[in-house]
Amino acid sequence: MNLRKLIFINNACYKVGRTITPKGIMVHSTGANNPNLKRYVGPDDGLLGKNQYNNYWNQDKPDGRQVCVHGFIGKLADGSIATYQTLPWNHRGWHAGGSANDTHIGFEICEDGLTDVSYFSAVYKEAVELCVYLCKQYGLTEKDIICHSEGCKLGIASNHGDVMHWFPKHGKSMDTFRAAVKVGLAATEAPAPVTPTTPKKYYRVQVGAYSVKLNADAMLAKIKAAGFTDAFVKYSE
């Protein structure tokens, strides 16, 4: 994941300053053929590129609307894929058009013409990795992830079709997406701690005029090999 940050401090949503306890993640897509992050994220940080219209969402009411999400996934100026965090993750966003604003982190995937396989594969992978990251941050699982259209069916979001107008064109669905997140979460789980072995104790062994420092096992073997019994041996830690 190529995660960067440009918080929309000029957006009215950010200025309201309300926070939530994230209980889920909602996946959106922009609904416009423009895969460039600079359309929505700005001003240019040297990676995004210049938006000549200055109509990115880091303003009070972008396009005259009260909208704001927690992040965007799309193309940088050099064509590479990145994620930009645009609100604090626990900030109450304006993305769902319903009660999911009170419970869900929402991010947008910048759409293209919906037919580019390589672009879709790249942003799909980036979105999966973002969800794995957020699930780990907030103790969520793949079961806590929905898209906007699923939110509508649950009665917690407005009537939008994203992302199910796009994913199936590439053989994907929210079920395959959640399955990929589940795999990602399993892969990032910390390995079981290794039980430390008990450190060997070493003893100073005195046999006649000779003294040597040995661990307990080696000491016993040396004694037996030399034909001595404990009666002839002095040892201490």
Side-chain angles (χ1 to χ4, degrees):
M1 179 175 60
N2 183 12
L3 179 60
R4 302 182 179 277
K5 184 184 291 188
L6 198 162
I7 301 299
F8 289 170
I9 60 173
N10 297 315
N11 191 289
C13 177
Y14 177 82
K15 295 174 183 177
V16 169
R18 291 181 60 185
T19 59
I20 63 170
T21 299
K23 297 179 180 178
I25 302 167
M26 183 171 284
V27 184
H28 302 266
S29 60
T30 54
N33 184 0
N34 191 337
N36 299 301
L37 283 163
K38 67 182 180 182
R39 163 62 183 88
Y40 305 97
V41 184
D44 181 18
D45 61 356
L47 297 172
L48 291 161
K50 172 66 176 175
N51 179 336
Q52 62 178 321
Y53 304 107
N54 293 321
N55 59 348
Y56 43 73
W57 285 19
N58 191 10
Q59 53 186 293
D60 192 63
K61 293 181 178 62
D63 303 317
R65 299 181 297 155
Q66 291 183 313
V67 290
C68 201
V69 292
H70 296 86
F72 282 89
I73 295 174
K75 285 185 179 181
L76 293 170
D78 66 2
S80 62
I81 302 301
T83 300
Y84 268 75
Q85 180 185 356
T86 52
L87 283 176
W89 300 123
N90 68 338
H91 197 99
R92 184 181 184 275
W94 293 345
H95 61 90
S99 62
N101 285 339
D102 298 319
T103 54
H104 284 62
I105 296 169
F107 67 89
E108 296 271 4
I109 307 173
C110 296
E111 293 183 17
D112 62 348
L114 308 185
T115 59
D116 187 327
V117 175
S118 61
Y119 176 73
F120 176 81
S121 296
V123 293
Y124 182 89
K125 179 176 181 290
E126 186 80 3
V128 167
E129 292 176 358
L130 174 60
C131 285
V132 169
Y133 169 81
L134 292 172
C135 282
K136 291 179 67 178
Q137 287 274 319
Y138 292 100
L140 306 174
T141 74
E142 76 284 353
K143 296 177 182 178
D144 301 308
I145 302 170
I146 58 176
C147 70
H148 197 150
S149 63
E150 289 177 319
C152 177
K153 292 176 182 177
L154 292 170
I156 59 174
S158 57
N159 187 16
H160 281 226
D162 51 325
V163 296
M164 291 309 297
H165 69 299
W166 185 12
F167 280 24
K169 291 179 183 291
H170 298 276
K172 301 294 185 182
S173 68
M174 283 305 297
D175 288 333
T176 65
F177 186 86
R178 283 183 283 265
V181 173
K182 183 177 181 179
V183 170
L185 287 170
T188 56
E189 288 179 357
V194 177
T195 303
T197 57
T198 304
K200 292 182 178 180
K201 285 188 176 182
Y202 285 83
Y203 298 85
R204 177 64 62 182
V205 181
Q206 185 77 37
V207 181
Y210 297 97
S211 176
V212 64
K213 191 174 185 181
L214 301 169
N215 68 52
D217 293 336
M219 177 185 73
L220 184 60
K222 290 282 187 181
I223 291 170
K224 289 182 177 180
F228 291 101
T229 66
D230 282 344
F232 296 95
V233 180
K234 295 179 180 179
Y235 54 90
S236 59
E237 294 188 24

